[in-house]
Amino acid sequence: MKKTQAILLQALLSSTLAASTCLAVAQQGPAAPVITIYTAGSMSGALGAITRQYTRETGQPIQLVSGPAGALLDRIEHSAKADIFVSANMAHPQRLTAEGKAAPTVVFARNRVCVAARPDVGVTTGNLLDKLLDPNIKIGTSTPKSDPGGDYAWELFAKAGALRPGATQTLEAKAQQLVGGAVAPQVPAGQNPVKYFMATRRVDVFIGYCSSHEPTPDTTLTQVELPPELAISADYGMTVLDSQRNAATRDAVYRLALYLMSPAAQSVLTRYGFTAVAPQ
């Protein structure tokens, strides 16, 4: 764990269980309060597995609310009830920390940006930029500002422009913002949006994350790593929201937050394509 991460985590610890120095997970009673986690949609699969594991071990009920992290931040700032916030970037939870609405923000996990494509498109790491700039290739992205995934796509476009003059403007003009926005195209219930837009030929490639919602990667699409000159990493931030809680609820929230940083929880992240930050 990097020094800055260790300092942030220490600050989180010191601001939490003031009356308790035990970091072990305690069993919850039958009347344990429900803990609500607001989480970036890309983390919902892994975090769902972790919290189900925690509930089995402790009996602690947990509610996950997932969606675009920017939209979740807006809800929290407008008084939505959340105990823990996990974002696909550091900026959103750090904003809550700076506003005095949350504890120090820590790096919860790391991710990378990848490009998903139908196999027939023939995208590889070596030809990725050529394919993205091909006028016949349709590009899908998340929505910038509302969803960090969209912000990372625009960061990729900026890097492309540094390599090839005019590429940034070309890619921004081609990109279809299909998920994560306030208004998004309809997707049939139960279907994965990216797979649906690929299958219906609305897009040929989609710029997203290397992680997955399932521990078994989807082999129906090709996932391509970005070349080194275009590579983008994504740090996921976590913070505990300040709210009017009794002592028992406060301790329960912080016990869960500490568990999320434990090797037992972090080992689950790797099965979903994330990079853990806690020692394994």
Side-chain angles (χ1 to χ4, degrees):
M1 187 181 294
K2 294 183 179 180
K3 183 178 180 181
T4 53
Q5 171 73 356
I7 292 173
L8 287 172
L9 183 55
Q10 184 177 19
L12 174 62
L13 294 174
S14 64
S15 68
T16 64
L17 307 178
S20 173
T21 59
C22 178
L23 302 185
V25 176
Q27 292 291 329
Q28 305 297 312
V34 175
I35 296 174
T36 300
I37 301 177
Y38 272 34
T39 177
S42 54
M43 180 58 73
S44 60
L47 197 54
I50 293 170
T51 53
R52 288 191 296 273
Q53 176 177 289
Y54 186 81
T55 297
R56 286 194 300 269
E57 294 175 359
T58 68
Q60 172 65 58
I62 301 168
Q63 177 187 32
L64 288 186
V65 177
S66 65
L72 295 179
L73 171 65
D74 185 66
R75 291 173 61 181
I76 291 171
E77 291 195 312
H78 287 84
S79 302
K81 181 188 180 301
D83 297 303
I84 295 173
F85 179 36
V86 177
S87 176
N89 64 5
M90 294 293 290
H92 292 341
Q94 285 175 337
R95 175 168 158 177
L96 295 171
T97 298
E99 292 172 347
K101 299 176 181 177
T105 295
V106 299
V107 180
F108 172 58
R110 292 189 169 92
N111 206 345
R112 309 180 314 285
V113 173
C114 278
V115 173
R118 290 194 316 276
D120 62 280
V121 179
V123 177
T124 67
T125 298
N127 69 15
L128 177 63
L129 187 51
D130 288 330
K131 288 288 187 179
L132 293 179
L133 290 170
D134 185 334
N136 296 314
I137 298 298
K138 299 184 288 294
I139 301 172
T141 72
S142 296
T143 305
K145 297 183 180 179
S146 176
D147 188 336
D151 297 326
Y152 294 129
W154 257 244
E155 183 180 344
L156 170 59
F157 299 160
K159 285 193 170 189
L163 296 176
R164 299 192 191 180
T168 300
Q169 293 76 13
T170 297
L171 295 172
E172 288 181 353
K174 289 180 63 178
Q176 300 180 52
Q177 301 173 29
L178 298 176
V179 299
V183 179
Q186 291 294 313
V187 176
Q191 292 204 29
N192 178 288
V194 173
K195 292 183 67 173
Y196 175 75
F197 293 131
M198 295 272 197
T200 57
R201 306 279 168 158
R202 176 148 187 174
V203 297
D204 303 299
V205 301
F206 195 96
I207 300 171
Y209 298 109
C210 298
S211 62
S212 173
H213 288 281
E214 302 293 338
T216 302
D218 185 351
T219 58
T220 63
L221 297 177
T222 300
Q223 181 170 276
V224 178
E225 295 272 359
L226 303 183
E229 63 272 19
L230 295 175
I232 296 170
S233 60
D235 285 352
Y236 281 52
M238 179 184 75
T239 190
V240 174
L241 281 301
D242 287 335
S243 65
Q244 298 298 320
R245 306 185 185 97
N246 59 38
T249 301
R250 176 182 171 83
D251 286 358
V253 170
Y254 278 107
R255 278 195 295 268
L256 174 56
L258 296 179
Y259 178 82
L260 293 178
M261 297 302 300
S262 72
Q266 291 275 307
S267 65
V268 176
L269 295 174
T270 62
R271 301 203 299 266
Y272 288 79
F274 294 93
T275 299
V277 296
Q280 300 296 295

